[in-house]
Amino acid sequence: SVANFDSICYDILNKGGKKMLPIERLQKIQVILEEREVVSIPELEKLLDASKATVYRDIKTLQKEGKLQFVRGGISKAPYDRRVELPYHVKRSSNVEEKKRIAREAAENIHPNSTIWMDSSTTVYEMAKYLRPDMNLKVLTNDLMIGAELAVLPGVEAHVIGGMIRKGYFTLVGLFALSNLKGVQIDTAFFGSDALSIKGGCMLLNSDEIAL
């Protein structure tokens, strides 16, 4: 179509340099919406360095997936559906400063020479940055990303429990993970949850992680 042709020409000629792939633009739009309530179309054109036609095409893609909605002045996140888990990259990129503050406070409450559990949470992931070498910790986790961070930390003996990998989430779950966790004595556990309530306590959307 003419609109698509104009978009392609814009991407090739405007400002030069490497352009984001469509999947990268879709991910960036979702990250932006996590940080801001409403974003205008002109703002998105600048932030994505893309034409209006390209931006509208990306918006329509995300709208069909129920991830955003048109509002007066631009776009906003779709009304939150408590039944749907956010993609990992969106979780990882949202509320970063708050997660760092929580992670730093949590790390300060770890006793040296102890065995701790770090679950598959993007907030718990941030804790790895605050584990000191002199703490001499043994750490168990069911998260591949956390395991990779722990692998290069001095003074930390890291154990990844194994299991089936949740697609797109780097989380190890299932019977193998459960059996590996049995019989392990843990001093302190750190975990995140998708929701909290007085009646329901800590709640997760994925049943496999609930079992762990």
Side-chain angles (χ1 to χ4, degrees):
S1 69
V2 174
N4 286 345
F5 178 75
D6 290 343
S7 174
I8 292 170
C9 290
Y10 180 94
D11 287 344
I12 292 174
L13 298 175
N14 187 54
K15 297 182 182 179
K18 184 179 178 181
K19 295 294 181 180
M20 284 187 284
L21 298 172
I23 185 64
E24 292 175 320
R25 291 197 307 271
L26 296 178
Q27 290 176 352
K28 186 166 184 178
I29 291 172
Q30 292 178 82
V31 170
I32 293 169
L33 287 176
E34 283 298 314
E35 301 296 333
R36 301 169 60 179
E37 292 185 5
V38 177
V39 186
S40 70
I41 305 303
E43 284 180 305
L44 280 177
E45 290 178 48
K46 292 180 180 179
L47 291 170
L48 300 174
D49 191 16
S51 68
K52 181 180 291 186
T54 297
V55 169
Y56 269 108
R57 187 167 61 247
D58 292 340
I59 289 173
K60 288 179 180 178
T61 297
L62 292 172
Q63 186 183 33
K64 288 179 182 179
E65 297 176 1
K67 295 176 180 176
L68 57 76
Q69 61 183 346
F70 279 101
V71 296
R72 186 174 181 178
I75 60 170
S76 72
K77 285 195 301 182
Y80 180 58
D81 186 345
R82 290 178 293 178
R83 300 166 298 173
V84 178
E85 186 173 12
L86 294 172
Y88 180 83
H89 69 271
V90 175
K91 287 185 175 184
R92 180 81 175 273
S93 303
S94 63
N95 305 311
V96 175
E97 291 306 314
E98 289 83 354
K99 289 176 180 178
K100 287 181 179 178
R101 286 195 290 269
I102 294 169
R104 183 166 51 246
E105 180 70 22
E108 289 176 359
N109 285 277
I110 297 175
H111 296 291
N113 306 306
S114 61
T115 299
I116 69 170
W117 167 261
M118 295 175 67
D119 91 329
S120 185
S121 158
T122 54
T123 304
V124 174
Y125 171 85
E126 296 292 335
M127 283 182 61
K129 302 172 184 178
Y130 302 104
L131 301 182
R132 304 190 313 273
D134 62 339
M135 298 175 80
N136 189 33
L137 300 174
K138 181 179 290 185
V139 183
L140 289 85
T141 185
N142 67 322
D143 186 280
L144 295 176
M145 299 296 284
I146 292 176
E149 289 289 321
L150 297 175
V152 297
L153 292 182
V156 173
E157 181 183 312
H159 298 260
V160 178
I161 66 170
M164 179 182 69
I165 303 173
R166 281 191 66 203
K167 294 295 184 183
Y169 287 94
F170 311 102
T171 307
L172 299 166
V173 295
L175 293 176
F176 192 48
L178 283 169
S179 63
N180 284 342
L181 198 56
K182 287 180 179 179
V184 176
Q185 182 66 47
I186 296 168
D187 297 306
T188 311
F190 297 91
F191 61 93
S193 65
D194 294 315
L196 292 168
S197 77
I198 294 174
K199 183 178 179 180
C202 298
M203 295 175 283
L204 295 173
L205 288 163
N206 184 268
S207 59
D208 291 326
E209 290 192 56
I210 290 173
L212 280 174

